[in-house]
Amino acid sequence: MSKLAAQDKFLDLSDYGRPFGKFLANSLKNTRFTPIHVTLLFGITGLIAMYCILNESYIWAGFFIVLKSGIDAADGELARLKNTPSYVGRYLDSVFDIILNFLFLMTICYVSQTSFWLTLIAFFCIQLQGTLYNYYYVILRNKSVGGDTTSKVFEYKTPRALPGETQKSVNILFKIYTIVYGGFDKIIHALDSDAYKVKTLPNWFMTLVSLYGLGFQLLIIAVLLPLGQIEWIIPFFIAYSILIFILIGIRKTYFN
């Protein structure tokens, strides 16, 4: 099932890894590989990218960061192909993402001359940016006729386990998910509490919002590293947060 109706699909600049993700998922659909295995694989790929950063192999680091984005797209595709939706997989994917984001920035902090506290601010900013993207995207998916509604705009209640997973595992991962993402969700909701009331969000606006998607954030890092601009990565993502207020301002002004 598509996440969006045809008329609501937009150019997602953060989803460049989707073609590779579909290719990988199709290659694995008749194997014993599960979506969880693919999630673990993108985690390992991210760790390899960090190892490359530590060794100042920035071209290879950029390659593995982009590869990580491609593999990241494959677990959901494989779940759809095998018809094995999973809340465990969904929350594990998100928890891995935030852990890897933190480790990426800390690795960059270690190699560069950036201060630890400035890196923490950048991590906060990156997560807030990604939360805005997810907030608007989930709203659009829930408004889209025939779209995917498995993700909720407000996630306050532990979902019931799907076939093939245990309720205990879902409970644990949902709790971790709400702990690591809950604060960011509350901040974005406070900044734009009425966004869920809109009838829809236009394609061009969502393409602009996708500049904050995780894939595009990682692409920026993957480009800056081999260009020898590692010192600019942390300051860039802090300054990049200005776009949060611009996007929210556009939404409030033109889409009600």
Side-chain angles (χ1 to χ4, degrees):
M1 180 179 69
S2 175
K3 291 183 178 182
L4 294 169
Q7 68 272 17
D8 293 320
K9 291 182 178 179
F10 62 96
L11 175 61
D12 190 340
L13 300 175
S14 72
D15 202 29
Y16 55 85
R18 186 66 52 184
F20 177 79
K22 288 182 177 180
F23 167 78
L24 181 58
N26 276 288
S27 301
L28 297 175
K29 68 178 179 179
N30 295 320
T31 70
R32 298 178 66 181
F33 269 83
T34 68
I36 300 294
H37 291 141
V38 178
T39 301
L40 295 174
L41 181 60
F42 89 65
I44 293 171
T45 305
L47 293 176
I48 294 173
M50 292 173 212
Y51 176 80
C52 292
I53 294 173
L54 289 172
N55 285 277
E56 298 185 10
S57 300
Y58 296 144
I59 293 177
W60 280 110
F63 168 79
F64 281 108
I65 288 172
V66 172
L67 180 61
K68 181 262 180 192
S69 294
I71 298 173
D72 196 359
D75 51 6
E77 292 291 341
L78 187 60
R80 282 185 282 275
L81 286 174
K82 292 192 173 219
N83 195 26
T84 55
S86 166
Y87 284 112
V88 168
R90 177 188 158 205
Y91 294 132
L92 186 64
D93 184 293
S94 296
V95 170
F96 267 32
D97 278 335
I98 196 170
I99 291 173
L100 288 174
N101 284 353
F102 179 78
L103 293 177
F104 271 131
L105 293 183
M106 287 301 153
T107 303
I108 291 168
C109 173
Y110 180 81
V111 173
S112 68
Q113 300 300 315
T114 311
S115 75
F116 172 77
W117 293 108
L118 206 60
T119 303
L120 282 182
I121 293 172
F123 171 71
F124 175 84
C125 290
I126 281 180
Q127 291 308 130
L128 206 60
Q129 294 160 20
T131 300
L132 182 68
Y133 164 77
N134 289 327
Y135 182 51
Y136 286 152
Y137 188 29
V138 172
I139 288 171
L140 180 63
R141 282 160 56 179
N142 279 266
K143 298 286 184 179
S144 185
V145 177
D148 176 26
T149 58
T150 55
S151 294
K152 305 300 181 185
V153 178
F154 306 109
E155 304 235 24
Y156 297 136
K157 185 178 180 181
T158 307
R160 181 173 297 180
L162 296 169
E165 60 184 2
T166 66
Q167 188 63 51
K168 182 179 180 180
S169 297
V170 174
N171 292 347
I172 292 173
L173 281 167
F174 178 76
K175 184 65 175 178
I176 295 172
Y177 174 86
T178 54
I179 289 173
V180 297
Y181 284 103
F184 300 107
D185 289 341
K186 289 177 181 177
I187 292 172
I188 292 299
H189 179 246
L191 290 173
D192 193 2
S193 58
D194 293 330
Y196 72 97
K197 298 177 182 178
V198 301
K199 294 181 179 180
T200 188
L201 292 166
N203 297 352
W204 66 266
F205 178 73
M206 288 306 302
T207 294
L208 189 60
V209 173
S210 73
L211 291 170
Y212 273 166
L214 176 58
F216 197 80
Q217 291 172 325
L218 292 177
L219 182 61
I220 292 171
I221 296 174
V223 170
L224 290 177
L225 283 173
L227 289 177
Q229 304 301 319
I230 190 171
E231 301 291 343
W232 286 98
I233 293 175
I234 301 301
F236 171 83
F237 280 107
I238 295 173
Y240 199 39
S241 295
I242 294 173
L243 190 57
I244 289 176
F245 302 99
I246 295 174
L247 291 170
I248 292 176
I250 292 172
R251 205 292 303 163
K252 288 184 175 182
T253 303
Y254 297 105
F255 317 124
N256 295 303

